[in-house]
Structure formats: structure tokens, C-alpha cells
Amino acid sequence: MNFKIFRRKANILAYVHKDKKEIRGISNVHGKKIMLNNKPEALHHYNLYARGVDKSNQQSLYYHYQHKCMKWYKIIIIAILEAAVANAYELFKAKNPFSAVGQLEFREHIV
């Protein structure tokens, strides 16, 4: 078994799974159930359903605006705008699956 399960309260599960690197997680939905591939059920569900979140984060980091020495509220506004542009690009790709427009070209076009 290549993971450890720690339980603090009745419905909160905290686990550490070691595959190529350590993966730590906390869940209040999943129990101690182990899947066939020897991974906790919580990790299996994360891998199934969180792909869009990871992909969106990855896409928004490609053309990340550097915001050093800015006020905190400007950093938050820029982060919201970057998330909106990344989501708009994903919607554009879903609507136009055969379009050859890349993310940089899309960003230049909307500015």
C-alpha cells in the first residue's frame, strides 16, 4: 500500500498518496474506500472531474501578466481578468473546434 490515511473527525478524510511524488488531499465526501488501482477514492474522483480546472490554470499561466510592486486590489482585478480571458478562450475553442487561432492570437484580438 503506497498511501496513508489519517482521520481526524467523523466525516473528514486526509490522505497522503505517493506515486511519482507525494499527493496530499482532504475530502469531506469520500470514505476510506480504495479503488482497484490502489488509490484512494478521493484521488480517483479528483483525477476524473478536476481536469478542466487544471487545464484552465495551465492555460492562464502561459501568458501571465507580471504584477510586481502593485497594490493588492490591482493584483486581484488582473487575476479576475486573466481568468475571464482564459475561460473565454476555452469557450471559443468549444464553439469553434476546427479554428487554428492560438491563445496568444485570441488575446491580441480581444484587446
Side-chain angles (χ1 to χ4, degrees):
M1 206 165 9
N2 53 358
F3 65 92
K4 297 175 185 174
I5 295 180
F6 305 98
R7 238 189 155 123
R8 296 258 177 171
K9 299 216 179 206
N11 64 343
I12 297 178
L13 168 74
Y15 63 90
V16 178
H17 176 77
K18 185 159 183 159
D19 195 12
K20 292 179 183 172
K21 61 181 181 175
E22 274 191 1
I23 301 169
R24 297 179 182 144
I26 298 175
S27 174
N28 63 347
V29 177
H30 303 89
K32 290 184 176 181
K33 186 175 179 185
I34 306 304
M35 303 305 288
L36 292 176
N37 56 1
N38 206 20
K39 291 182 181 178
E41 183 182 26
L43 180 62
H44 175 72
H45 282 157
Y46 174 80
N47 288 337
L48 265 176
Y49 301 115
R51 297 280 185 213
V53 174
D54 292 339
K55 189 174 182 182
S56 176
N57 289 341
Q58 181 184 12
Q59 292 292 330
S60 65
L61 288 177
Y62 285 143
Y63 302 104
H64 183 66
Y65 178 74
Q66 296 295 325
H67 45 265
K68 292 182 181 178
C69 302
M70 291 179 73
K71 298 284 186 182
W72 64 269
Y73 54 86
K74 288 183 181 179
I75 294 172
I76 292 173
I77 290 170
I78 289 171
I80 291 170
L81 288 173
E82 286 179 349
V85 170
N87 289 339
Y89 179 65
E90 290 298 320
L91 289 172
F92 173 78
K93 284 194 334 185
K95 187 85 172 167
N96 306 301
F98 301 111
S99 176
V101 175
Q103 186 177 10
L104 179 61
E105 188 178 348
F106 179 80
R107 286 175 175 258
E108 288 172 348
H109 183 66
I110 63 172
V111 173

